[in-house]
């Protein structure tokens, strides 16, 4: 039987127990979709026969590989949906406009990666036409009502993607985000929405809204699931013009400086303001948090560029002449946006680009004073009727805290917050500089117990998981470094590795040629590892991978009598690692018999 809440861990547990098969999952998902009577969520479901054939293939894998299948295929048997501007072979790509629909020759890069990881694509979901809008109402397939209150909006443009996850029809979904389309629907559907650094995920196979700004985004029930999905789709794609290798910033393991817009604006929506301030009060109970006001004028000025000059022209350019030759096929609000003004002159284009560079420089300076910017995801939550009355005005209001992010090259993570008094979800968004994706996710994970109370529309609370999130796979050059004491995972100085993007890759031992000593007078307590001329012991170590660009900075902080040298691991591999100068061993306790620093500490001994 399929679990009521479709998170990745729960689904994998049911597969392991034998209480769920991939074929059973397909049947249950299709039943849930039919029983919901929400046809406006889906534009195209994959044919049942095709889903059942893929389920049989997954079942054969599970039977052949057993437990190992979950390591080789991290998303084994996990159902997902994608927004209907993301190409999938065999399914039309309508981009929310049936007259425009075409059949793609290749599946989008992100979808290929997910399927290679074992995920099961169920179908394609509704959106604001041509991904132009934040409301989820600009579609000939119908507006997508909010899962919590049908009279309110789901948010867009990734409306169907978010609704399909919130209603428990799939475990996660891909959307796209140009101006907030991966964040607004997350807030209005009580989901996590991850909007990565531009270029981190390839846009190959995504029909563009603004190609220079578009990001593939992830909707999930909690941070851990969203991160697992992002980990599969992130990576440089040389065939896509705006894909790039991102220099990752490590998580913040100590104090966090959190910027807060001043003044905050909720457009007279007192329920939205009360929900945000309740969430903020809960967040302030987190230790090591410092909140400082930030002048929001920079972000307002940046956002104003989005529907002016070069970027509005870029939206039109992606459609060619279609908006001119088929005006009747366009949603009235989309048509109004695309016809807002004529083509910018060359002078106006460069003026816009120069202004944006000035704003980006100011933004870089700001993030030298704060670690993360915290904003309400949306200042208000309109009803469907309010959108119908003033579609352009209400849409502009919704983008207050989202429109500037991609223009400035930032990353963002939308996180559920405390609910409004009228029962509607409300959310917050964490915003960081380029490469801060891991930083935001780890920080968000520490906030979840304070802000995130239920998964989608269910009554289930998010699981509390203390396991750190692994850094994203990286193609950048790195150094393998063996640590033996205070830098081990869970020890006091481990943050020096994690904040620099370090990744634990191996727990092993040295060759039996080493001695280990508890040094005297070190704070925090540390051991000294030394290679012996004669027989020694095999000492437990952890091998971490550290980006080479951060390695020199790390080594410069290593205090005497410790130093970085070459260690020999069992099996003969040589890596960089901590060693100790011999003079410091005078009077130190010989602890090699314990086989490692952690065993020594767990034995209840204290280093002096």
């Amino acid at each position: 039987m399929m679990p009521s809440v479709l998170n990745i861990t729960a689904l994998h547990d049911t597969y392991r127990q034998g209480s769920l098969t991939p074929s059973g999952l397909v049947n249950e998902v299709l039943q849930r979709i039919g029983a919901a009577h929400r046809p406006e969520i889906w534009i195209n479901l994959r044919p049942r026969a095709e889903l059942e054939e893929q389920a049989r293939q997954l079942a054969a894998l599970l039977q052949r590989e057993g437990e190992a299948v979950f390591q080789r295929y991290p998303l084994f048997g996990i159902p997902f949906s994608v927004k209907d501007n993301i190409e999938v072979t065999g399914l039309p790509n309508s981009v929310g406009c049936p007259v425009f629909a075409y059949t793609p020759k290749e599946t989008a890069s992100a979808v290929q990666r997910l399927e290679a990881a074992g995920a099961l694509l169920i179908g394609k979901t509704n959106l604001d036409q041509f991904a132009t809008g934040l409301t989820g109402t600009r579609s000939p397939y119908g507006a997508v009502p909010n899962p919590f209150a049908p009279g309110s909006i789901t948010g867009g443009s990734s409306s169907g993607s978010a609704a399909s996850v919130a209603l428990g029809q799939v475990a996660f979904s891909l959307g796209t985000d140009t101006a907030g389309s991966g964040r607004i629907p997350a807030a209005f559907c009580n989901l996590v929405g991850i909007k990565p650094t531009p270029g981190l995920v390839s846009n190959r196979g995504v029909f563009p809204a603004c190609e220079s700004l578009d990001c593939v985004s992830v909707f999930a029930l909690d941070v851990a699931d969203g991160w697992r999905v992002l980990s599969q789709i992130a990576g440089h794609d040389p065939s896509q013009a705006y894909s790039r290798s991102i220099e990752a910033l490590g998580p913040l393991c100590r104090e966090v400086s959190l910027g807060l817009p001043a003044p905050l604006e909720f457009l007279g929506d007192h329920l939205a303001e009360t929900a945000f301030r309740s969430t903020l009060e809960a967040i302030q109970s987190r230790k090591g948090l410092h909140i400082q006001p930030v002048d929001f004028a920079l972000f307002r000025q940046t956002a104003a560029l989005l529907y002016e000059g070069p970027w509005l022209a870029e939206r039109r350019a992606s459609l060619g002449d279609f908006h001119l030759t088929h005006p009747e096929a366009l949603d009235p609000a989309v048509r109004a946006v695309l016809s807002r003004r004529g083509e910018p002159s060359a002078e106006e284009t460069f003026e816009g680009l120069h202004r944006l560079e000035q704003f980006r420089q100011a933004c870089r300076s700001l993030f030298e004073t704060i670690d993360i910017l915290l904003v309400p995801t949306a200042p208000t939550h309109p009803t469907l009727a309010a959108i119908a009355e003033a579609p352009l005005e209400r849409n502009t209001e919704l983008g207050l805290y989202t429109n500037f992010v991609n223009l400035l090259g930032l990353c963002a993570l939308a996180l559920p917050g405390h609910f409004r008094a009228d029962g509607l979800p409300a959310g917050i968004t964490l915003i960081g500089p380029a490469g801060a994706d891991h930083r935001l996710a780890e920080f968000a994970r520490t906030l979840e117990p304070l802000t995130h109370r239920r998964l989608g529309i269910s009554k289930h609370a998010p699981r509390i998981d203390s396991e750190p999130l692994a850094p994203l796979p990286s193609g950048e050059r790195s150094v393998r470094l063996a640590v033996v004491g205070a830098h081990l995972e869970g020890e006091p100085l481990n943050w020096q590795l994690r904040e620099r993007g370090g990744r634990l890759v191996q727990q092993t031992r040295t060759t039996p040629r080493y001695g280990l000593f508890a040094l005297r007078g070190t704070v925090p307590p540390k051991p000294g590892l030394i290679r012996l001329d004669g027989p020694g012991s095999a000492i437990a170590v952890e091998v971490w991978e550290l980006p080479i660009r951060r390695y020199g900075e790390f080594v410069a902080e290593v205090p005497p009598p410790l130093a970085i040298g070459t260690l020999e691991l069992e099996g003969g591999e040589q890596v960089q690692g901590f060693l100790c100068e011999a003079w410091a061993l005078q009077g130190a306790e010989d602890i090699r018999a314990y086989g490692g620093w952690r065993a020594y500490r767990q034995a209840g001994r204290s280093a002096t």
Side-chain angles (χ1 to χ4, degrees):
M1 178 179 292
M2 193 163 76
S4 57
V5 176
L6 297 189
N7 61 40
I8 296 171
T9 299
L11 281 168
H12 279 180
D13 285 346
T14 55
Y15 283 132
R16 287 185 173 99
Q17 295 160 5
S19 55
L20 179 69
T21 66
S23 294
L25 176 131
V26 166
N27 288 332
E28 178 68 22
V29 165
L30 294 178
Q31 286 177 13
R32 287 190 183 189
I33 291 171
H37 302 295
R38 298 286 300 272
E40 71 281 347
I41 293 176
W42 297 89
I43 291 179
N44 274 300
L45 290 170
R46 289 176 65 194
R48 176 183 281 270
E50 195 174 300
L51 290 170
E52 289 175 345
E53 174 57 29
Q54 188 168 352
R56 283 191 289 270
Q57 294 173 12
L58 290 170
L61 268 178
L62 181 59
Q63 184 175 13
R64 184 169 66 248
E65 301 196 17
E67 180 67 24
V69 78
F70 301 105
Q71 297 298 319
R72 289 191 59 195
Y73 302 94
L75 299 177
F76 176 87
I78 304 299
F80 74 105
S81 63
V82 299
K83 187 177 181 177
D84 198 33
N85 62 342
I86 299 175
E87 296 177 349
V88 176
T89 55
L91 293 176
N93 203 49
S94 77
V95 203
C97 182
V99 178
F100 185 80
Y102 62 94
T103 301
K105 297 179 180 178
E106 186 180 11
T107 294
S109 171
V111 179
Q112 289 184 35
R113 287 173 174 247
L114 293 173
E115 292 185 318
L120 181 61
L121 175 63
I122 301 300
K124 305 189 72 181
T125 53
N126 202 357
L127 70 159
D128 281 318
Q129 191 176 67
F130 298 117
T132 300
L134 292 173
T135 65
T137 63
R138 300 173 176 180
S139 172
Y141 299 100
V144 178
N146 188 276
F148 291 85
S152 294
I153 66 171
T154 290
S157 58
S158 309
S159 51
S161 294
S164 66
V165 178
L167 290 168
Q169 297 175 353
V170 291
F172 70 89
S173 184
L174 295 187
T176 61
D177 187 309
T178 305
S181 298
R183 291 162 277 159
I184 297 291
F188 290 172
C189 290
N190 194 41
L191 300 174
V192 169
I194 298 180
K195 200 272 336 154
T197 298
L200 179 64
V201 177
S202 173
N203 286 338
R204 180 162 54 87
V206 176
F207 188 85
C210 286
E211 189 172 1
S212 65
L213 303 178
D214 295 340
C215 295
V216 174
S217 67
V218 177
F219 294 100
L221 291 170
D222 59 25
V223 174
D225 273 11
W227 191 251
R228 290 172 78 169
V229 174
L230 183 64
S231 297
Q232 296 304 313
I233 62 176
H236 178 52
D237 178 0
S239 69
Q240 207 276 323
Y242 287 96
S243 175
R244 57 195 179 97
S245 297
I246 305 296
E247 291 189 351
L249 302 175
L252 300 164
C253 303
R254 298 167 295 159
E255 296 184 346
V256 178
S257 175
L258 201 61
L260 189 68
L264 283 164
E265 177 60 69
F266 296 93
L267 307 175
D269 189 334
H270 301 297
L271 295 180
E273 181 174 5
T274 300
F276 178 77
R277 295 196 182 281
S278 173
T279 302
L280 182 61
E281 183 178 352
I283 289 172
Q284 288 175 307
S285 67
R286 183 192 185 277
K287 293 181 179 179
L289 190 65
H290 303 281
I291 296 179
Q292 64 183 71
V294 169
D295 186 352
F296 203 64
L298 162 66
F299 302 110
R300 285 181 178 270
Q301 293 167 5
T302 303
L305 294 175
L306 189 62
Y307 291 101
E308 297 176 3
W311 294 278
L312 183 55
E314 186 179 14
R315 281 187 182 270
R316 288 194 289 262
S318 67
L319 294 176
D321 292 333
F322 184 84
H323 66 293
L324 300 174
T325 58
H326 297 79
E328 74 289 344
L330 269 62
D331 176 271
V334 173
R335 185 166 61 244
V337 170
L338 294 176
S339 60
R340 195 171 267 178
R341 56 172 291 184
E343 296 303 313
S345 67
E347 290 82 0
E348 290 173 325
T349 297
F350 279 104
E351 285 174 3
L353 293 172
H354 295 330
R355 288 180 65 198
L356 180 57
E357 283 305 314
Q358 292 173 352
F359 295 149
R360 285 176 173 172
Q361 180 61 45
C363 184
R364 284 190 286 269
S365 297
L366 173 64
F367 276 105
E368 291 175 0
T369 65
I370 62 171
D371 297 312
I372 294 170
L373 177 67
L374 169 69
V375 299
T377 303
T380 185
H381 193 157
T383 62
L384 290 166
I387 295 295
E389 183 178 329
L392 297 182
E393 293 84 349
R394 299 292 85 79
N395 191 88
T396 299
E397 292 169 354
L398 284 174
L400 176 63
Y401 294 114
T402 62
N403 282 352
F404 58 88
V405 174
N406 286 355
L407 282 163
L408 294 172
L410 309 175
C411 58
L413 189 150
L415 185 70
H418 293 180
F419 274 59
R420 296 159 47 113
D422 59 2
L424 284 170
I428 60 173
T429 293
L430 307 172
I431 300 171
D437 306 84
H438 190 200
R439 174 174 297 178
L440 296 186
E442 274 287 33
F443 182 66
R445 193 175 59 83
T446 69
L447 299 186
E448 275 190 296
L450 306 173
T451 70
H452 190 182
R453 294 174 173 174
R454 48 192 291 203
L455 298 173
I457 66 167
S458 78
K459 302 297 184 182
H460 295 271
R463 66 187 185 277
I464 298 176
D465 189 350
S466 60
E467 286 296 313
L469 302 173
L472 294 173
S474 172
E476 67 175 308
R477 296 174 61 200
S478 60
V479 177
R480 288 167 67 87
L481 177 72
V483 299
V484 69
H487 288 87
L488 294 167
E489 191 167 44
E491 292 293 321
L493 298 183
N494 182 250
W495 65 266
Q496 294 181 351
L497 293 168
R498 297 192 68 230
E499 285 196 354
R500 291 178 172 90
R503 174 197 300 271
L504 176 61
V505 294
Q506 187 180 13
Q507 293 180 328
T508 185
R509 298 187 303 170
T510 67
T511 55
R513 300 175 183 174
Y514 289 86
L516 189 68
F517 298 82
L519 300 177
R520 296 171 59 87
T522 58
V523 180
K526 302 182 185 76
L529 182 73
I530 189 167
R531 182 157 179 163
L532 303 174
D533 292 333
S537 298
I539 304 299
V541 297
E542 290 177 352
V543 180
W544 287 70
E545 229 170 39
L546 198 64
I548 200 166
R549 61 186 164 84
R550 307 299 302 273
Y551 181 62
E553 173 189 340
F554 176 82
V555 172
E557 292 185 359
V558 175
L562 302 180
I564 301 297
T566 301
L567 270 64
E568 186 175 356
L569 306 181
E570 60 181 3
E573 180 186 4
Q574 292 187 337
V575 297
Q576 299 292 288
F578 277 85
L579 291 170
C580 184
E581 296 180 74
W583 62 263
L585 304 182
Q586 185 174 358
E589 180 184 1
D590 186 338
I591 60 172
R592 77 182 81 175
Y594 291 91
W597 180 247
R598 187 173 278 125
Y600 168 72
R601 301 268 283 172
Q602 289 173 349
R605 305 290 292 269
S606 61
T608 57

